[in-house]
């Protein structure tokens, strides 16, 4: 089977890395990919991200399965367009993607179905939002309703900070994503990333991870896409997994069904857990990045068979098995990220990392005259697998020391808490 993976991050690198191991894959393509993906798949230049152009490519290359990584393509209806052309696609359709592309859609769905989440209110007028904020307790959380590349969430510690956030959102800092905003209660507890997988008929758990979102050590600094992760999460045992499925995931899946929306693909719930009680922070309709880079290396079953079963509505016939190991990733980002940072800085020493020790997943790199150059904020991820989390952590940090990249930085405390 010819397979196309859409995206260019570390998540897509790990998806390609695992697909490549499957006996089912004939030719593996990635659109557009990066320098790391280029070593294992045929990378295609992304001349035009429109659905029509991607379909043309699929037809030309006899692509039988498309795996969509980033949310933007899903929110733009790429899955719907592919299905219309009878091309198998792993990733939900546009209506199901509302779970990520509209926070108010998700919050309303939670409220109607008693799904535990932070109390909230939605606003589309600045003055009303400010009036409301004058009477609230702090900290409080302010969110752009639409997609804002993980940056549209502000935790305001005071009324002054909340007003600055409101001004920025309504004055267009996140474009149309901030035209409507959600203001919600600040939840305390420990966060975890919970993944489920569905073929439209059934929904099953698909492992867990803990993500480190802040830029600097001790969870300080601005929020990022994720600076490191490990899997499985420490705080989710079998009982809690059942509780999460019963209280959050299955009611969401059923509520979508009631609305006539079929969910197929990965459903990623960002959770806050306190006293063994989970609350939903947000949904994503895709794998997390960097969670994917620690979850997929633990998968024992064939990924392509699972993806095909999802497309064909036959997930019930498939057993999803995991290796009994821990995995951990440390992300290397360009100094300055998540704010302004330079591109095209040179990275050396990747060849010194032994594959038995760690896997290098490229997030934002490109090959220029045989040199690896940085091409984004998050640039590399070093994943290690081991019998314990401590050993996996040690392996990743040892491997990182072999990389020479003066413009890069990374957190030193991934997996410590
Ligand atoms: P989101 O994009 O909704 O995942 O939010 C990004 C990050 O902001 C989350 O991973 C949390 O760390 C934090 N966050 C979002 N909503 C809340 C909340 N209601 N209470 C506490 N922290 C939150
Ligand atoms: N690591 C968080 C995300 O992928 O949204």
């Amino acid at each position: 089977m010819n397979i196309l993976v859409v995206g260019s991050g570390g998540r897509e690198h790990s998806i390609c890395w695992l697909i490549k191991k499957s006996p089912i894959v004939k030719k593996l393509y990635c659109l557009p990919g990066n320098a790391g993906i280029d070593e294992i798949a045929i990378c295609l230049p992304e001349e035009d991200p429109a659905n029509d152009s991607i379909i043309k490519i699929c037809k030309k290359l006899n692509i039988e399965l498309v795996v969509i990584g980033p949310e933007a393509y899903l929110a733009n209806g790429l899955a719907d367009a592919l299905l219309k052309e009878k091309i198998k696609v792993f990733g939900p359709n546009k209506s199901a993607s509302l779970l990520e592309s509209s926070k108010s859609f998700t919050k309303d769905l939670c409220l109607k179905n008693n799904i535990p989440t932070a109390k909230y209110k939605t606003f589309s007028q600045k003055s009303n939002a400010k009036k409301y904020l004058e009477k609230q307790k702090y900290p409080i959380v302010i969110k752009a309703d639409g997609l804002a590349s993980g940056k549209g969430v502000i935790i305001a510690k005071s009324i002054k900070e909340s007003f600055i956030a409101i001004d920025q959102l309504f004055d267009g800092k996140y474009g149309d994503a901030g035209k409507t905003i959600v203001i919600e209660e600040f939840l305390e507890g420990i966060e975890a990333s919970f993944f489920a997988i569905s073929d439209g008929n059934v929904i099953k758990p698909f492992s867990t991870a803990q993500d480190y979102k802040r830029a600097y050590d001790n969870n300080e600094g601005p929020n990022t896409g994720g600076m490191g992760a490990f899997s499985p999460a420490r705080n989710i045992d079998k009982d809690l997994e059942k509780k999460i499925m019963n209280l959050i995931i299955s009611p969401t899946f059923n509520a979508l069904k009631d609305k006539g929306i079929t969910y197929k693909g990965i459903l990623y719930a960002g959770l806050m857990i306190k006293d063994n009680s989970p609350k939903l922070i947000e949904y994503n309709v895709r794998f997390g990045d960097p969670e994917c880079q620690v979850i997929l290396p633990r998968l024992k079953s064939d990924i392509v068979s699972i993806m095909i079963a999802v497309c064909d509505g036959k997930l019930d016939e498939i057993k999803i098995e995991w290796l009994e190991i821990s995995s951990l990733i440390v992300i290397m980002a360009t100094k300055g990220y998540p704010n302004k940072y330079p591109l095209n800085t040179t990275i050396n020493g990747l060849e010194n990392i032994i594959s038995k020790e760690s896997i290098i997943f490229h997030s934002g790199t490109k090959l220029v005259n045989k040199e690896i150059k940085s091409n984004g904020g998050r640039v590399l991820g070093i994943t290690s697998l081991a019998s314990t989390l401590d050993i996996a952590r040690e392996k990743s940090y040892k491997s990182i020391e072999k990389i020479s990249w003066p413009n890069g930085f990374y957190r030193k405390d991934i997996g410590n808490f």
Side-chain angles (χ1 to χ4, degrees):
M1 170 179 268
N2 292 344
I3 301 177
L4 171 68
V5 175
V6 178
S8 64
R11 169 181 50 208
E12 289 76 24
H13 191 180
S14 66
I15 293 171
C16 286
W17 174 85
L18 197 57
I19 287 179
K20 191 74 185 169
K21 293 180 189 288
S22 169
I24 299 172
V25 64
K26 210 160 99 198
K27 277 193 173 158
L28 176 62
Y29 296 91
C30 189
L31 179 83
N34 61 37
I37 297 174
D38 196 46
E39 290 173 15
I40 52 173
I42 304 160
C43 288
L44 307 166
E46 188 184 50
E47 277 142 14
D48 177 4
N51 296 344
D52 287 356
S53 308
I54 296 175
I55 283 170
K56 258 190 216 147
I57 292 171
C58 291
K59 287 187 173 165
K60 196 170 136 205
L61 299 172
N62 284 323
I63 303 288
E64 290 152 282
L65 169 67
V66 178
V67 181
I68 304 174
E71 61 276 17
Y73 295 95
L74 296 162
N76 196 31
L78 178 57
D80 310 59
L82 288 161
L83 288 172
K84 233 190 209 164
E85 296 295 328
K86 306 233 162 359
I87 299 168
K88 286 188 204 297
V89 55
F90 186 79
N93 60 30
K94 189 173 179 166
S95 340
S97 300
L98 278 172
L99 279 184
E100 177 166 0
S101 62
S102 170
K103 294 200 190 290
S104 56
F105 172 85
T106 301
K107 295 299 277 189
D108 292 348
L109 186 135
C110 288
L111 185 69
K112 260 195 207 124
N113 295 280
N114 289 321
I115 295 165
T117 185
K119 290 195 192 82
Y120 75 104
K121 262 193 179 315
T122 305
F123 295 91
S124 46
Q125 277 190 338
K126 202 194 243 191
S127 55
N128 291 347
K130 285 190 173 175
K131 228 184 268 163
Y132 176 77
L133 283 166
E134 277 169 1
K135 293 190 203 99
Q136 300 310 307
K137 277 200 264 166
Y138 287 80
I140 201 159
V141 186
I142 301 170
K143 298 183 175 184
D145 182 59
L147 293 179
S149 308
K151 289 174 196 141
V153 175
I154 300 113
I155 298 174
K157 290 191 219 72
S158 63
I159 188 158
K160 193 172 158 206
E161 280 185 24
S162 75
F163 276 29
I164 294 171
I166 292 289
D167 286 337
Q168 285 181 340
L169 285 165
F170 280 108
D171 295 348
K173 188 168 178 198
Y174 303 102
D176 282 354
K179 271 189 175 161
T180 301
I181 62 155
V182 172
I183 300 180
E184 66 179 40
E185 162 200 20
F186 177 80
L187 298 175
E188 286 182 46
I190 297 175
E191 279 189 70
S193 304
F194 186 93
F195 296 83
I197 188 165
S198 174
D199 63 350
N201 300 315
V202 293
I203 189 152
K204 295 183 177 184
F206 194 82
S207 197
T208 59
Q210 185 178 319
D211 182 20
Y212 291 78
K213 288 209 165 72
R214 299 298 188 107
Y216 313 130
D217 285 1
N218 297 316
N219 284 343
E220 282 170 14
N223 255 330
T224 70
M227 292 298 292
F230 64 83
S231 174
R234 266 192 207 102
N235 54 347
I236 303 182
D237 58 14
K238 275 281 160 203
D239 282 346
L240 186 53
E241 176 186 287
K242 251 192 217 151
K243 207 163 165 181
I244 293 164
M245 289 302 292
N246 290 339
L247 291 176
I248 298 178
I249 306 291
S250 297
T252 302
F253 180 69
N254 292 333
L256 288 177
K257 253 193 179 166
D258 289 345
K259 284 177 178 281
I261 299 174
T262 305
Y263 198 98
K264 279 185 171 214
I266 289 289
L267 178 61
Y268 157 9
L271 303 175
M272 190 67 87
I273 298 167
K274 195 179 172 205
D275 302 330
N276 224 33
S277 289
K279 280 192 178 167
L280 179 75
I281 297 178
E282 64 155 5
Y283 273 129
N284 297 306
V285 296
R286 49 170 175 84
F287 277 119
D289 185 335
E291 291 97 324
C292 190
Q293 296 95 297
V294 282
I295 289 179
L296 290 192
R298 293 182 41 249
L299 184 63
K300 200 164 152 193
S301 313
D302 177 52
I303 183 84
V304 179
S305 306
I306 295 174
M307 288 173 165
I308 293 171
V310 163
C311 296
D312 295 346
K314 292 184 175 164
L315 195 56
D316 235 2
E317 295 173 16
I318 288 254
K319 211 168 165 201
I320 302 173
E321 290 184 294
W322 299 95
L323 298 169
E324 292 295 320
I325 52 171
S326 289
S327 63
L328 178 137
I329 185 168
V330 180
I331 295 291
M332 297 183 85
T334 312
K335 282 181 188 162
Y337 173 78
N339 300 312
K340 267 199 176 158
Y341 52 81
L343 295 174
N344 277 317
T345 61
T346 306
I347 302 164
N348 283 307
L350 295 185
E351 67 283 359
N352 299 332
I353 296 177
I354 308 157
S355 59
K356 255 198 337 212
E357 291 290 319
S358 303
I359 315 160
I360 307 167
F361 289 126
H362 292 231
S363 299
T365 58
K366 64 178 177 184
L367 208 56
V368 181
N369 298 328
K370 294 191 179 158
E371 272 191 336
I372 304 273
K373 299 279 189 182
S374 66
N375 191 34
R378 291 190 293 170
V379 171
L380 293 168
I382 312 300
T383 294
S384 304
L385 310 172
S387 54
T388 69
L389 186 60
D390 286 345
I391 302 173
R393 182 202 296 114
E394 213 172 285
K395 283 165 88 174
S396 279
Y397 281 114
K398 222 164 131 191
S399 294
I400 279 193
E401 279 171 22
K402 297 180 182 166
I403 299 172
S404 159
W405 180 30
N407 288 87
F409 79 101
Y410 58 91
R411 278 182 62 159
K412 312 277 190 306
D413 61 351
I414 303 301
N416 286 6
F417 53 88

